[in-house]
């Protein structure tokens, strides 16, 4: 998302993320390299996206020189009300959600509704993705207004290399079993 924003001419973007880069991120998140492991995702993402935007020079669509590009990172939890509250959200024209945490998604949904700022809510489950625009002014149903299905499948890309929840351990064990003892090793997501 951030790569696409930078390459399509978005000049002012703020990124909030509490996570740091893990080796398991390197195969699926193209902004990160091995030297970034252990650093905050938001900081590295903003640095790389800024460099991409600056390397593009003049925007081919508008012809405008992309000087004055600002990608600002906030290393922290979006649920931290002392930092990320309604007043913080009101500064923006639109908020784009790319969260994998239901509690955080609900929090951002509520903040955007309270601040009357449109929210583009995006997420994935396995190989399925969805995008919804939530706008209080347009009276479009919010994230919590829609029935959320209980997750039955846990895609391996969402499971950290060091399990932090019981479900992570179960998924790793299941995939490891398929890899070691399955008829076709390639059926395991670890293959």
């Amino acid at each position: 998302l951030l790569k696409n924003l930078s390459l399509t001419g978005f000049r002012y973007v703020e990124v909030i993320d509490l996570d740091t880069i893990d080796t398991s991120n390197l195969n699926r998140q193209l902004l990160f390299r091995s030297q970034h492991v252990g650093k905050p995702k938001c900081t590295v993402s903003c640095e790389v996206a800024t460099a991409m935007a600056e390397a593009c020079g003049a925007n081919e669509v508008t012809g405008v020189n992309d000087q004055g590009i600002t990608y600002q990172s906030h290393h922290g939890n979006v649920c931290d009300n002392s930092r990320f509250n309604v007043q913080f959200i009101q500064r923006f024209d639109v908020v784009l959600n790319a969260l994998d945490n239901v509690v955080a998604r609900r929090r951002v949904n509520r903040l955007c509704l309270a601040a009357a700022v449109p929210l583009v809510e995006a997420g994935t489950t396995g190989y399925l993705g969805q995008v919804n625009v939530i706008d209080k002014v347009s009276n479009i149903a919010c994230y919590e207004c829609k029935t959320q299905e209980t997750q039955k499948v846990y895609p391996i890309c969402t499971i950290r290399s060091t399990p932090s929840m019981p479900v992570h351990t179960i998924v790793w064990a299941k995939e490891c079993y398929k890899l070691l003892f399955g008829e076709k090793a390639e059926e395991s997501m670890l293959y």
Side-chain angles (χ1 to χ4, degrees), residues 173-188:
K174 177 182 169 189
E175 293 303 317
C176 192
Y177 184 86
K178 278 198 263 181
L179 182 66
L180 295 172
F181 305 110
E183 289 183 30
K184 295 180 182 177
E186 60 271 8
E187 289 180 357
S188 170

Side-chain angles (χ1 to χ4, degrees), residues 122-143:
T124 61
T125 303
Y127 299 109
L128 303 174
Q130 73 277 338
V131 177
N132 298 301
V133 176
I134 299 165
D135 186 9
K136 181 178 182 177
V137 177
S138 300
N139 208 19
I140 298 173
C142 74
Y143 177 74

Side-chain angles (χ1 to χ4, degrees), residues 6 21 34 40 49 69 147 161-162 164 175-176 185:
S6 70
I21 299 165
S34 58
I69 295 167
T147 305
S161 59
T162 305
S164 60
E175 293 303 317
C176 192

Side-chain angles (χ1 to χ4, degrees), residues 6-9 53 55-66:
S6 70
L7 295 178
T8 54
C56 287
N59 184 315
E60 293 178 16
V61 175
T62 64
V64 175
N65 190 336
D66 288 331

Side-chain angles (χ1 to χ4, degrees), residues 97 105-106 108-110 112-113 117-122 130-148:
N97 232 358
R105 290 168 89 169
R106 288 179 180 154
V108 172
N109 175 64
R110 290 177 185 179
C112 288
L113 289 172
V117 173
L119 168 64
V120 177
E121 167 55 40
Q130 73 277 338
V131 177
N132 298 301
V133 176
I134 299 165
D135 186 9
K136 181 178 182 177
V137 177
S138 300
N139 208 19
I140 298 173
C142 74
Y143 177 74
E144 292 180 276
C145 299
K146 298 175 183 176
T147 305
Q148 305 294 326

Side-chain angles (χ1 to χ4, degrees), residues 57-89:
N59 184 315
E60 293 178 16
V61 175
T62 64
V64 175
N65 190 336
D66 288 331
Q67 299 304 313
I69 295 167
T70 303
Y71 284 75
Q72 183 177 352
S73 66
H74 300 279
H75 188 227
N77 189 336
V78 74
C79 294
D80 179 356
N81 194 47
S82 66
R83 291 179 65 192
F84 309 113
N85 49 37
V86 173
Q87 293 77 22
F88 179 84
I89 297 295

Side-chain angles (χ1 to χ4, degrees), residues 1 63 85 93 131 136 149 159 171 173:
L1 175 63
N85 49 37
D93 295 323
V131 177
K136 181 178 182 177
E149 288 186 31
I159 308 300
V171 171

Side-chain angles (χ1 to χ4, degrees), residues 13 19 32 45 53 61 64 100 111 126 134 155 158:
V13 177
D19 209 356
F32 307 143
S45 297
V61 175
V64 175
D100 60 359
L111 284 172
I134 299 165
T158 64

